[in-house]
Amino acid sequence: MTLCKLIFRNVKKNLQDYLIYFLTLMLSVSIFYAFNSIENQPALQNLRSTKQLLADQTGIYISILSVMIAVVLAFLILYANRFLQKRRKKELGIYLLLGMKKRKVSGIFAGETLCVGGISLVCGLGLGVILSQGLSLLALRLFAVDIEEFQMVFSTDALRKTVCCFALIFLLASLFNVKAVSREKLADLLNAGRRNDVSILKGKRVHIFFCLTAIACMALSGILIQRYGIIPSRRHPWIQAALALWLVGTVLFFFSVSSAVLKVLQSCSRIYLKKLNAFLCRQLGSRIRTDFLVLAAVSILLTVAVCGVSVGVSAAVTMNEASRAALPFDLNVLADVEISGDTDISVYLSSRGVQMEAYAERMEQISLYEGDLTYADLFEGQKVSLWPIDQEIPKIKVYIVSLSDFNRSLAMQGKEPVSLSEGEFLLNCNYKGTMEYIRAFLQTHETITLNGRALRSAASEPLNETYWMTSVGNNDRGTVIVPDSVIETGSFTKSDNVLLVKYRPDTDSEEVLQKMIPIGLEWETEGYRYTEKNMLNDLYYGAGALMVFLCCYIGLVFLLVCAVLLSLKQLTETADNVYRYGLLKKLGAPESWVNAALTKQIAVFFLAPLVPAVLFSGFAMGKITAVIEEFMNMHIASHTGFTVFLLLLVYGGYFLAACLSCRRMIRKPAGF
């Protein structure tokens, strides 16, 4: 029989063993292709300038992340290949027993790997083309592009990257198989799976020392991240040191913890000798010592997944909530009175070639004033804990606006006006960072003093309106609304004039924006700057798409990889040790004890990498969120419910599936 015929016959005969390996390869190929094909969607090539810039950045980040994903998928494939090789050891040993040379046996295994790899590459590309269309639709939704502009596309660039990447991975897998088979002894191949691994660490003190060192490294890493943040810096390399300590600590933890726990349990005979605990501890110790690098890698990937999904979802929910009421006008132009003077903004725009009357359906100019009231006065007597982006707020003077100007702004939005009696005031606030302090002030203070004049509160709750546009999520930290007579007689300083504009239905917003750009560039000398709805909208959706898409997608991929990896390991290990569970039953152990021991073993393997990942994520998420808040100038509320749901659904689902499958395996009569 020729070598090729033997390879194809073996693939067909061992189809059930190769099925998990094949599915792993196929899914990896499809994910990699779909992820890299998004930037080639034609509908993402014709966006407005702000969105186009962020869409281009998304493509750049995808290319960078593809390298990381390729490494992760290569690890997954090599690991799955290792499982498959272990399942086939006895068969390969029989080939050697029959007189076949190791070189030929290695060639058979390498050929089978390449055969399955080639088939999975073709099938994975077909599935990837389908998945890429769904991901392109998601990208268009995140970038707020009309779905009608979607086009089905086959990305040759993504095809080239996928084929080159996985051809290299398959080649590495084949070389790995050749090397592994050539180093195996015949006795080891024929008796594969019947020996526990021996600990390379001797002595209880050595085990405990390494375990405590691992915990110390991870604790120090968390302390450094809490103190110095999560952004790498050449001047302050503490974050690089923190990440290195985390990686070393994680590896050392899984390298030593099994032996340390085993030594402790052995010293507690009441626990160690109860039911099948002795068998369970030996099994766990053997497997963790063998696969400590795998568990460490899974823990690291889970940390990335938990942080990515939590931060991405929290940002998405917060931005969606903030955007609904943050952009009520199409354009507003602010004039700094100290620089520009107290002028009519529309007249100035006309002098600069922007005939706003030709674009606007309605315009209103309002004025913002300042008195002797600061935010520190509003926060007085309260225990204030401001977010990092708000540390300077107490020093800032509070804006004051007249009742008529505030009502004109509401009228442009189609809202009912508010009313005030003489000697009364209202507070408006729509920023979560100061809302609770503004509300507490109104509930504890009935009066306020502005430039020596006392005013009484007209409501115990602040208004929540956007009366001029600044940014999404961080618009009004607190504004005092007073009757017009207070402004006229109060000797307040006019700080800014704001022109509010609603476009006509046929207005080309891009044309207006292009004319406003030169005016905005002269802010320091002329004193005029603008906020344009479509520009903010594009920035919001573009930044949101970039953040949410990358965080959630990468987090979900890593979570799936971890769940599949652990499930695959448990299925393989259980299949290799069926005879041991059968022997326990023959020795008189009740089936419930055996099932309980198996379930505990699987639970430990799923929980061991998850616990340190969740603990470290708690340290890292706060710092990552702070960076995003500073970049987007808005507070991101924590929404961890979706992450917990995803963990229960994916991670918990694979755990249950692994338990049920492994129990079915040990119910079968064991041959030994």
Side-chain angles (χ1 to χ4, degrees):
M1 181 181 294
T2 64
L3 188 63
C4 290
K5 286 184 178 180
L6 184 59
I7 289 172
F8 284 117
R9 195 181 77 168
N10 282 349
V11 171
K12 184 178 180 181
K13 182 183 67 174
N14 297 290
L15 190 60
Q16 185 174 2
D17 289 339
Y18 274 115
L19 184 59
I20 294 178
Y21 184 60
F22 171 76
L23 290 175
T24 303
L25 290 176
M26 185 178 69
L27 290 174
S28 300
V29 170
S30 62
I31 289 171
F32 191 85
Y33 171 85
F35 193 54
N36 282 274
S37 66
I38 294 174
E39 59 182 316
N40 298 113
Q41 171 58 234
L44 294 177
Q45 309 302 317
N46 300 310
L47 303 175
R48 285 192 293 262
S49 55
T50 306
K51 280 186 182 178
Q52 189 63 60
L53 176 63
L54 290 166
D56 293 341
Q57 289 298 312
T58 301
I60 294 172
Y61 284 121
I62 284 176
S63 299
I64 295 172
L65 288 172
S66 293
V67 177
M68 182 173 63
I69 290 178
V71 173
V72 172
L73 293 179
F75 172 82
L76 178 64
I77 291 169
L78 290 174
Y79 190 61
N81 182 74
R82 177 172 174 264
F83 285 159
L84 186 61
Q85 183 192 42
K86 191 172 183 180
R87 292 289 301 272
R88 303 282 305 284
K89 277 187 176 182
K90 184 175 292 187
E91 179 184 337
L92 298 179
I94 293 175
Y95 286 146
L96 294 177
L97 192 63
L98 293 175
M100 189 177 290
K101 299 294 183 183
K102 276 190 175 182
R103 180 164 51 87
K104 194 169 184 179
V105 173
S106 299
I108 292 174
F109 208 166
E112 292 177 17
T113 302
L114 291 175
C115 179
V116 176
I119 298 172
S120 62
L121 180 61
V122 174
C123 296
L125 286 172
L127 179 61
V129 172
I130 299 173
L131 289 177
S132 66
Q133 311 309 316
L135 288 177
S136 293
L137 287 171
L138 176 61
L140 295 184
R141 181 68 178 271
L142 289 173
F143 278 103
V145 179
D146 193 343
I147 301 299
E148 294 180 357
E149 298 184 25
F150 167 76
Q151 299 180 33
M152 293 190 66
V153 63
F154 180 79
S155 173
T156 55
D157 184 54
L159 174 65
R160 176 180 55 80
K161 290 180 181 179
T162 305
V163 172
C164 292
C165 175
F166 281 89
L168 179 61
I169 293 175
F170 296 153
L171 179 60
L172 289 174
S174 299
L175 294 176
F176 175 82
N177 290 336
V178 171
K179 183 178 179 180
V181 173
S182 64
R183 295 175 62 180
E184 291 284 359
K185 297 179 180 179
L186 179 59
D188 293 336
L189 291 172
L190 293 176
N191 294 282
R194 291 178 178 262
R195 292 179 295 112
N196 278 335
D197 297 295
V198 180
S199 175
I200 62 175
L201 297 177
K202 301 296 183 181
K204 182 168 66 174
R205 293 182 179 179
V206 179
H207 296 98
I208 295 176
F209 170 77
F210 273 94
C211 187
L212 293 177
T213 302
I215 295 174
C217 286
M218 290 190 286
L220 181 58
S221 174
I223 292 172
L224 290 175
I225 288 178
Q226 284 286 34
R227 182 170 182 179
Y228 297 102
I230 202 73
I231 299 296
S233 171
R234 292 182 180 179
R235 294 179 58 188
H236 304 288
W238 290 109
I239 180 59
Q240 291 91 325
L243 292 176
L245 284 170
W246 172 48
L247 294 175
V248 172
T250 302
V251 174
L252 283 178
F253 178 78
F254 288 104
F255 178 69
S256 61
V257 69
S258 64
S259 299
V261 172
L262 181 60
K263 293 294 182 182
V264 172
L265 290 176
Q266 285 177 334
S267 63
C268 302
S269 57
R270 291 181 60 183
I271 299 176
Y272 185 72
L273 299 177
K274 186 178 181 180
K275 295 184 178 181
L276 299 179
N277 285 348
F279 169 78
L280 177 62
C281 290
R282 288 289 182 179
Q283 284 287 98
L284 288 173
S286 172
R287 299 278 66 85
I288 293 178
R289 282 193 294 269
T290 302
D291 298 301
F292 71 92
L293 285 177
V294 174
L295 292 174
V298 169
S299 182
I300 292 169
L301 293 180
L302 280 175
T303 304
V304 176
V306 171
C307 289
V309 174
S310 296
V311 173
V313 171
S314 296
V317 173
T318 301
M319 293 171 70
N320 280 326
E321 292 174 351
S323 66
R324 295 171 185 172
L327 306 173
F329 311 109
D330 294 312
L331 174 73
N332 61 227
V333 183
L334 181 140
D336 187 335
V337 173
E338 186 176 350
I339 302 175
S340 65
D342 190 6
T343 59
D344 188 324
I345 298 176
S346 63
V347 173
Y348 172 79
L349 294 178
S350 296
S351 69
R352 297 296 302 271
V354 185
Q355 301 295 333
M356 196 55 67
E357 293 80 2
Y359 303 111
E361 182 178 72
R362 183 172 180 180
M363 292 187 296
E364 292 286 357
Q365 181 167 313
I366 65 174
S367 299
L368 308 177
Y369 297 86
E370 291 179 354
D372 58 1
L373 185 71
T374 66
Y375 284 100
D377 298 323
L378 296 180
F379 301 158
E380 185 179 2
Q382 302 183 52
K383 186 178 180 180
V384 178
S385 177
L386 296 173
W387 300 322
I389 60 175
D390 297 332
Q391 295 303 313
E392 298 299 318
I393 284 182
K395 304 176 184 177
I396 300 174
K397 290 185 176 181
V398 179
Y399 274 136
I400 302 168
V401 64
S402 68
L403 179 64
S404 60
D405 281 354
F406 190 80
N407 282 334
R408 281 202 296 272
S409 173
L410 294 181
M412 287 189 66
Q413 304 175 50
K415 295 182 178 181
E416 293 295 323
V418 297
S419 59
L420 282 174
S421 300
E422 285 298 325
E424 291 185 335
F425 76 93
L426 287 168
L427 275 173
N428 183 73
C429 179
N430 57 25
Y431 180 47
K432 291 183 179 180
T434 56
M435 176 68 77
E436 63 176 297
Y437 307 119
I438 298 295
R439 180 178 289 113
F441 174 83
L442 287 174
Q443 292 174 353
T444 57
H445 293 74
E446 295 183 357
T447 62
I448 195 173
T449 302
L450 296 177
N451 288 11
R453 180 170 180 177
L455 301 172
R456 65 181 182 277
S457 175
S460 59
E461 289 288 329
L463 301 176
N464 186 17
E465 303 290 350
T466 300
Y467 68 98
W468 68 295
M469 297 189 304
T470 54
S471 63
V472 176
N474 190 5
N475 177 254
D476 186 4
R477 298 161 177 175
T479 298
V480 180
I481 307 165
V482 298
D484 291 22
S485 60
V486 174
I487 297 292
E488 295 169 359
T489 60
S491 301
F492 296 102
T493 301
K494 183 178 286 190
S495 172
D496 303 282
N497 288 319
V498 184
L499 179 66
L500 310 176
V501 181
K502 294 281 284 187
Y503 291 151
R504 293 178 179 177
D506 59 347
T507 297
D508 185 353
S509 62
E510 192 71 19
E511 179 183 340
V512 179
L513 182 59
Q514 293 302 318
K515 291 183 177 182
M516 292 300 302
I517 289 176
I519 297 174
L521 294 175
E522 299 173 359
W523 158 250
E524 294 185 356
T525 57
E526 297 295 324
Y528 292 88
R529 61 181 175 182
Y530 65 92
T531 302
E532 207 270 337
K533 178 178 180 177
N534 288 328
M535 182 181 69
L536 274 180
N537 204 39
D538 290 353
L539 182 63
Y540 158 72
Y541 278 108
L546 178 64
M547 183 190 315
V548 176
F549 186 77
L550 295 182
C551 288
C552 292
Y553 185 75
I554 296 300
L556 181 59
V557 169
F558 283 6
L559 183 59
L560 285 172
V561 166
C562 293
V564 171
L565 203 62
L566 293 175
S567 299
L568 187 64
K569 173 174 176 50
Q570 292 308 304
L571 288 172
T572 304
E573 295 295 343
T574 302
D576 288 340
N577 291 280
V578 165
Y579 79 96
R580 292 183 176 180
Y581 294 102
L583 181 60
L584 288 175
K585 293 178 181 179
K586 289 191 174 184
L587 291 175
E591 185 174 354
S592 60
W593 287 16
V594 177
N595 289 337
L598 178 61
T599 302
K600 290 177 183 178
Q601 178 179 329
I602 298 172
V604 168
F605 268 90
F606 271 80
L607 289 176
L610 181 62
V611 172
V614 171
L615 292 177
F616 191 83
S617 298
F619 285 103
M621 280 193 297
K623 294 299 179 181
I624 296 172
T625 301
V627 172
I628 297 174
E629 286 178 348
E630 184 174 358
F631 169 73
M632 302 187 66
N633 197 30
M634 64 183 296
H635 172 67
I636 297 176
S638 178
H639 294 271
T640 58
F642 180 76
T643 306
V644 174
F645 171 76
L646 202 60
L647 278 171
L648 292 175
L649 180 65
V650 178
Y651 208 69
Y654 272 98
F655 166 72
L656 292 176
C659 287
L660 294 175
S661 298
C662 291
R663 284 189 177 188
R664 280 196 297 268
M665 287 183 183
I666 64 174
R667 286 197 195 104
K668 298 178 181 179
F672 51 94

